[in-house]
């Protein structure tokens, strides 16, 4: 694998574009999805300074905590529960500007103020979700949604 990661600079879109190229390089020589999820979570987390960045994997009808960066998190989430379970059930990205306004939000940490969850879909099935929490309100917008969807789409076969 590439041994270095250069923290991307520039506009948010520029940073995502650079990060995706570096992430593709990092995962290109590794077939283990847990290893790849770990590195992708780390790259996102330390590029943008998020509060919590990680993956939940669909295993036996539940979302199960996968590789992440950040504080302790809940380990299992049912389909349709919380932001993650809703993204899984509806198979689309959910942007939450204020977690207190999202009915059923699962508060793993009281520090989390806003959140985005992006499903990883293979052949129409959600196999995992990428979950990112911010300690500030309204951190995530259409730019994050567009680029994070591009990231999981381009890396999907190395993440699940
Ligand atoms: N807030 C999420 C739970 C996962 S933690 O944020 C890491 C939710 O409502 O699904």
């Amino acid at each position: 694998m590439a041994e270095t990661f250069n923290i991307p600079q520039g506009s948010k879109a520029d940073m995502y574009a650079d990060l995706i190229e570096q992430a593709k390089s990092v995962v290109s020589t590794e077939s283990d999805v847990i290893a790849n999820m770990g590195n992708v979570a780390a790259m996102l987390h330390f590029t943008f300074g998020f509060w919590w960045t990680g993956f939940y994997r669909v295993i036996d009808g539940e979302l199960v905590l996968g590789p992440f960066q950040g504080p302790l998190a809940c380990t299992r989430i049912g389909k349709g529960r919380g932001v993650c379970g809703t993204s899984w059930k509806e198979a689309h990205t959910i942007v939450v500007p204020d977690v207190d306004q999202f009915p059923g939000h699962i508060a793993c940490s009281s520090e989390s103020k806003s959140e985005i969850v992006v499903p990883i879909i293979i052949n129409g099935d959600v196999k995992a979700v990428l979950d990112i929490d911010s300690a500030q309100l309204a951190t995530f917008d259409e730019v994050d949604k567009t680029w994070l969807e591009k990231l999981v789409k381009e890396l999907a076969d190395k993440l699940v």
Side-chain angles (χ1 to χ4, degrees):
M1 66 167 269
E3 297 296 336
T4 59
F5 175 58
N6 298 311
I7 298 289
Q9 307 291 332
S11 69
K12 192 156 71 169
D14 288 345
M15 291 168 80
Y16 276 117
D18 182 357
L19 189 151
I20 288 171
E21 289 313 307
Q22 293 195 63
K24 278 182 181 170
S25 170
V26 166
V27 302
S28 66
T29 54
E30 178 53 63
S31 60
D32 186 272
V33 298
I34 299 297
N36 287 334
M37 281 182 166
N39 273 333
V40 171
M43 294 166 99
L44 283 167
H45 195 75
F46 289 100
T47 294
F48 293 103
F50 296 132
W51 175 253
W52 194 95
T53 311
F55 294 90
Y56 282 88
R57 301 189 299 149
V58 176
I59 300 174
D60 295 337
E62 282 182 307
L63 286 173
V64 181
L65 182 63
F68 69 95
Q69 294 281 335
L72 193 77
C74 47
T75 56
R76 290 174 187 266
I77 298 173
K79 197 168 193 175
R81 303 293 303 276
V83 188
C84 292
T86 304
S87 174
W88 173 22
K89 184 179 174 189
E90 297 180 357
H92 62 67
T93 299
I94 301 181
V95 176
V96 183
D98 179 353
V99 296
D100 288 340
Q101 304 303 316
F102 188 93
H105 169 258
I106 300 165
C108 294
S109 161
S110 60
E111 295 296 318
S112 175
K113 298 287 188 282
S114 59
E115 182 165 5
I116 186 169
V117 179
V118 183
I120 303 176
I121 302 170
I122 303 275
N123 297 329
D125 287 331
V126 176
K127 300 291 189 188
V129 300
L130 168 62
D131 178 19
I132 306 177
D133 290 27
S134 167
Q136 283 84 43
L137 290 166
T139 291
F140 306 103
D141 58 18
E142 281 298 312
V143 175
D144 300 278
K145 177 176 184 290
T146 298
W147 284 94
L148 289 170
E149 287 177 348
K150 185 173 163 67
L151 181 148
V152 302
K153 194 171 173 190
E154 296 197 5
L155 301 180
D157 65 344
K158 290 289 194 170
L159 297 176
V160 293

